Amino acid sequence: MSKIDVVRAAMVEAMKAKDKARKDSLSMLLSALKNAQIDKRADLTEDEENAVVKKEIRQTQETYDMAPADRTDIREEAAARLAVYKEFAPEDMNVEQITEVIKGVLAELGIEKPTVADKGKIMKVLMPKVKGKADGKLVNQTLADMTK
């Protein structure tokens, strides 16, 4: 079952429960997924669906972070939306898993002791392997810790 179907079913449940805030959040997520599908002119793959969900999470987090402290209404709405969106987001890789992938890339490239100069070459091979599965900042930080 596609993520669109799962979100639509959750939205119907929210409507039946008369949970307006959850229904609105799910409606926005469903709209983003459908728009991505329309732009592609084909059904989305699981990775593409996850990318759309992560993009919505990132945008909502920015809204939350940019809202002035005295605008609690905006912050509360964004926090509620984030909670709903995270239910549909895939689990991100943790530092240990990222480290294992980095070690695999280092072996693939034949690099025993990575240096800062090797970082670009490593990232070029590494990022496609963790795209959509791990936060880019965490991957970068993990690699930076290994090159010290």
Side-chain angles (χ1 to χ4, degrees):
M1 185 152 55
S2 75
K3 200 161 290 238
I4 289 176
D5 296 332
V6 172
V7 172
R8 185 177 292 125
M11 192 170 89
V12 168
E13 289 297 316
M15 284 196 230
K16 288 180 181 177
K18 298 191 184 334
D19 186 348
K20 184 176 177 355
R22 182 173 171 78
K23 183 228 145 232
D24 290 346
S25 297
L26 291 167
S27 176
M28 292 172 78
L29 182 59
L30 182 61
S31 177
L33 287 164
K34 283 182 174 180
N35 286 338
Q37 189 174 34
I38 290 168
D39 289 346
K40 186 181 177 195
R41 297 174 192 242
D43 288 341
L44 299 174
T45 64
E46 187 177 344
D47 287 341
E48 291 168 335
E49 290 174 336
N50 290 337
V52 170
V53 173
K54 284 189 172 221
K55 179 182 174 196
E56 290 298 309
I57 288 172
R58 190 171 46 254
Q59 288 177 338
T60 306
Q61 185 66 50
E62 287 175 8
T63 300
Y64 181 85
D65 293 341
M66 299 298 275
D70 62 334
R71 292 296 310 267
T72 57
D73 57 327
I74 295 173
R75 294 181 80 117
E76 287 171 5
E77 182 182 334
R81 260 192 285 146
L82 275 173
V84 172
Y85 292 169
K86 286 183 179 178
E87 293 175 28
F88 298 96
E91 280 295 312
D92 277 347
M93 296 171 77
N94 60 30
V95 176
E96 291 80 30
Q97 293 168 320
I98 294 169
T99 303
E100 288 303 311
V101 175
I102 291 172
K103 287 179 182 175
V105 169
L106 292 175
E108 185 181 315
L109 294 174
I111 300 172
E112 287 182 30
K113 280 291 207 176
T115 63
V116 176
D118 296 328
K119 192 172 180 182
K121 190 175 4 171
I122 296 167
M123 288 297 273
K124 191 174 184 179
V125 177
L126 176 63
M127 286 313 289
K129 294 183 180 203
V130 298
K131 184 170 176 52
K133 299 175 191 165
D135 179 38
K137 290 178 184 174
L138 185 60
V139 172
N140 192 16
Q141 183 61 48
T142 306
L143 181 58
D145 291 345
M146 291 177 80
T147 58
K148 286 182 181 175

